[in-house]
Amino acid sequence: MTKRESNVDRVYEALRQMAADFAFKPDQRINESALSDVLGARRTPLREALNRLVAEGFLTFQINRGFFCRPLTPSYILDLYEARVAVECEALRLACLRAPDSEIAALSDYLDRMEPDYQSATDPVELLALDESFHNRLVQLSGNSELLRMLQNLNGRIRYIRLIDLKRMRDQADGAAPGDVSAHKRVLEGLAARDVVAATDALRSHIEKRREEATEAVRIAFSQLYVPDD
Amino acid sequence: MTKRESNVDRVYEALRQMAADFAFKPDQRINESALSDVLGARRTPLREALNRLVAEGFLTFQINRGFFCRPLTPSYILDLYEARVAVECEALRLACLRAPDSEIAALSDYLDRMEPDYQSATDPVELLALDESFHNRLVQLSGNSELLRMLQNLNGRIRYIRLIDLKRMRDQADGAAPGDVSAHKRVLEGLAARDVVAATDALRSHIEKRREEATEAVRIAFSQLYVPDD
DNA sequence: GCGCTCATAACTGTATACAGTTTGGAATTC
DNA sequence: GAATTCCAAACTGTATACAGTTATGAGCGC
């Protein structure tokens, strides 16, 4: 029996998971030996995986000092969300031009089926998975695998910012319900009508609203970090 | 005296250069030992650099079979150009909204200064560098470093496709002159007037025109590959 | 000649070792 | 006490070795 998954792949996935679970704090230096113990892999394959994450923008690297978790500044968050707008709106435009009606209808059905789950979900991780899944499918309708790859890279980095946001929403239960699918529905209506402007405007404002919420959540989370220990 | 550049970085840059110089043919398997001899680096740092290139989409990887140059299919080329449209048009939109007049004027000046070089350049490599430089600066006006990173990644992969195209143009001297900056000027006029629609329409059609040319050039290059040896 | 088997060569995957660099703190000076 | 120097420990960078897998091709039966 031959192996199907490379060890580097396994380590790489584990590292992404750790990043999403706040295992690394922004700007934290990553100790390769300690990490290799945790992951059950030696430093050689670990470093190969870390280099992939550097190339993807998850981590930074300094010569002779090693790998660092990327700092989480407001302007970085803004950049990531703006890049998402670029990727998703162009994908939506392409989908309006060429996605078959049947696939658009399938995504509508999916959204309808998921709506109860969406509204009853209380676990932020679950909600986030549902939301990411919708956006992934939307971009898949463009048929462009580079746009999909870019979205997945951005979402990988945005994920833990959004988790901060969703946890805050659950705690405060203020304003917009987190399980609100109306924005997604508006996007799909525009898409079904092949109305590029209506669809992209809806999507753009949806993502920008999410960005404002996330930025605020991170601001609050940071301010709490600076509360002195008693 | 301390080292300023990591060996992995050096190897990584050398590999990108080799890719742009057609050192690897599409779908070609990459022999690590042979490559490490050429680059003067051992396999450990070489593999770290190769992993970065996999993460960036330059190469593919198969377990126990190693690294491969990415195949060059028409749909892959289409995906890359569409992704460029996504990145550049959104960057341009953001630049229309917030780039200072002074920086827009500086880019206009740059274009005017470069125009003679552009029109007299006959070396495809030189022309390409000039063109990429303009597009990079345009995206920089958005102030978004993620969009810039994405553009540089896409251009790194598109570069050798465009070289095929530019070499064909030089040989045939048909249709549009390669050193035509009028499209760039139209984009900047729209930007200076803060006219998002005019600017992005001009940019979109410019990139799509380039894509059609490049796709055709690759099609021709491929058809010549299949001419049987005599 | 064509397909199959198996031995071997070539190559990839990674553990280990060690060299070079940075870091943190003790010792020293003012 | 604060600043500085210097040394040891910790960590990163990579060469090397070898184990495990894949590719190649000779030999063989048909």
Side-chain angles (χ1 to χ4, degrees):
Chain A
M1 160 158 165
T2 70
K3 239 195 311 187
R4 307 213 168 278
E5 194 189 30
S6 114
N7 195 16
V8 174
D9 283 343
R10 185 182 62 75
V11 169
Y12 167 82
E13 288 301 334
L15 287 170
R16 284 189 55 147
Q17 188 61 48
M18 286 176 74
D21 293 345
F22 305 92
F24 312 116
K25 289 177 193 150
D27 262 329
Q28 181 190 336
R29 183 173 176 172
I30 290 170
N31 183 320
E32 294 172 16
S33 304
L35 198 53
S36 74
D37 287 347
V38 172
L39 294 173
R42 297 296 178 176
R43 282 179 57 222
T44 310
L46 169 59
R47 282 175 60 99
E48 292 191 5
L50 288 169
N51 271 287
R52 286 197 200 175
L53 292 164
V54 168
E56 286 173 346
F58 282 86
L59 304 176
T60 61
F61 174 79
Q62 290 177 40
I63 184 168
N64 285 327
R65 300 198 57 226
F67 299 87
F68 293 79
C69 186
R70 205 166 160 154
L72 203 62
T73 64
S75 85
Y76 176 53
I77 296 170
L78 178 61
D79 286 354
L80 289 174
Y81 274 88
E82 284 177 354
R84 256 191 74 192
V85 168
V87 169
E88 293 200 40
C89 286
E90 183 64 16
L92 182 57
R93 201 184 71 86
L94 293 170
C96 278
L97 297 179
R98 69 193 182 197
D101 288 331
S102 60
E103 288 187 25
I104 296 173
L107 184 52
S108 276
D109 288 352
Y110 171 80
L111 191 59
D112 290 341
R113 275 205 316 283
M114 289 298 123
E115 186 165 4
D117 297 11
Y118 221 94
Q119 283 170 344
S120 66
T122 51
D123 178 14
V125 176
E126 209 177 314
L127 264 171
L128 191 49
L130 284 167
D131 188 63
E132 278 189 18
S133 160
F134 172 78
H135 286 272
N136 274 329
R137 279 167 171 260
L138 195 62
V139 170
Q140 274 168 18
L141 289 184
S142 74
N144 185 314
S145 55
E146 285 301 320
L147 289 174
L148 184 60
R149 163 217 273 289
M150 285 172 163
L151 177 68
Q152 288 173 341
N153 173 266
L154 291 168
N155 271 339
R157 289 187 279 162
I158 285 176
R159 193 170 297 137
Y160 83 131
I161 299 168
R162 301 185 75 190
L163 274 177
I164 297 173
D165 183 29
L166 284 168
K167 280 176 182 153
R168 182 185 66 108
M169 277 185 166
R170 188 191 49 183
D171 295 346
Q172 301 200 349
D174 71 335
D180 183 10
V181 295
S182 62
H184 290 178
K185 281 191 171 167
R186 272 196 297 280
V187 172
L188 276 184
E189 279 162 19
L191 174 57
R194 308 288 176 175
D195 183 340
V196 173
V197 174
T200 53
D201 282 356
L203 182 56
R204 183 188 301 278
S205 65
H206 168 55
I207 297 173
E208 289 187 349
K209 185 150 163 286
R210 285 277 196 265
R211 172 181 63 72
E212 285 161 20
E213 293 161 2
T215 307
E216 175 67 4
V218 170
R219 196 189 60 74
I220 291 170
F222 264 89
S223 71
Q224 287 170 350
L225 279 182
Y226 291 121
V227 171
D229 305 330
D230 50 14
Chain B
M1 162 160 162
T2 70
K3 237 193 315 185
R4 308 216 167 275
E5 193 191 30
S6 115
N7 194 15
V8 174
D9 284 342
R10 186 182 61 76
V11 169
Y12 167 83
E13 289 301 336
L15 287 170
R16 283 188 54 150
Q17 188 61 48
M18 287 176 74
D21 293 345
F22 305 93
F24 313 117
K25 288 177 193 149
D27 263 329
Q28 181 189 337
R29 182 173 177 172
I30 290 169
N31 183 320
E32 295 173 16
S33 304
L35 198 51
S36 74
D37 287 347
V38 172
L39 295 173
R42 297 293 178 176
R43 281 179 58 225
T44 309
L46 170 60
R47 282 176 60 99
E48 292 190 6
L50 289 169
N51 270 287
R52 288 197 199 174
L53 292 163
V54 168
E56 287 174 345
F58 281 87
L59 304 175
T60 62
F61 174 79
Q62 290 178 41
I63 183 167
N64 285 328
R65 299 197 57 225
F67 299 87
F68 293 79
C69 186
R70 206 170 159 152
L72 202 62
T73 64
S75 85
Y76 175 53
I77 296 170
L78 178 60
D79 286 355
L80 289 174
Y81 274 89
E82 283 177 354
R84 257 190 74 192
V85 168
V87 168
E88 293 200 41
C89 285
E90 183 64 15
L92 182 57
R93 203 184 70 87
L94 293 170
C96 278
L97 298 179
R98 67 192 184 198
D101 287 331
S102 60
E103 289 188 24
I104 297 174
L107 184 52
S108 276
D109 287 351
Y110 171 80
L111 190 59
D112 289 340
R113 274 204 317 282
M114 289 298 124
E115 188 165 3
D117 296 12
Y118 221 94
Q119 283 171 342
S120 66
T122 51
D123 179 14
V125 176
E126 209 178 316
L127 264 171
L128 191 48
L130 284 167
D131 188 64
E132 279 189 17
S133 162
F134 173 78
H135 286 271
N136 274 328
R137 279 165 171 261
L138 194 63
V139 170
Q140 275 167 16
L141 288 184
S142 74
N144 185 313
S145 56
E146 285 302 320
L147 289 173
L148 183 60
R149 162 216 274 293
M150 285 173 164
L151 177 68
Q152 287 173 341
N153 174 266
L154 291 168
N155 270 340
R157 289 188 279 163
I158 285 176
R159 192 168 299 138
Y160 83 131
I161 300 167
R162 301 185 76 190
L163 274 176
I164 297 174
D165 182 29
L166 285 169
K167 280 176 183 154
R168 181 185 66 109
M169 276 184 167
R170 188 191 48 181
D171 294 347
Q172 301 200 350
D174 69 335
D180 184 10
V181 295
S182 61
H184 291 178
K185 282 190 171 169
R186 272 196 298 279
V187 171
L188 276 185
E189 279 163 19
L191 173 57
R194 308 287 177 177
D195 184 339
V196 174
V197 174
T200 55
D201 282 356
L203 182 56
R204 182 188 302 279
S205 65
H206 169 55
I207 298 173
E208 288 187 349
K209 184 150 165 284
R210 285 279 194 263
R211 173 181 64 71
E212 284 162 20
E213 292 162 2
T215 307
E216 175 68 3
V218 170
R219 196 189 61 73
I220 292 169
F222 265 91
S223 71
Q224 286 170 349
L225 280 182
Y226 291 122
V227 171
D229 305 329
D230 51 16

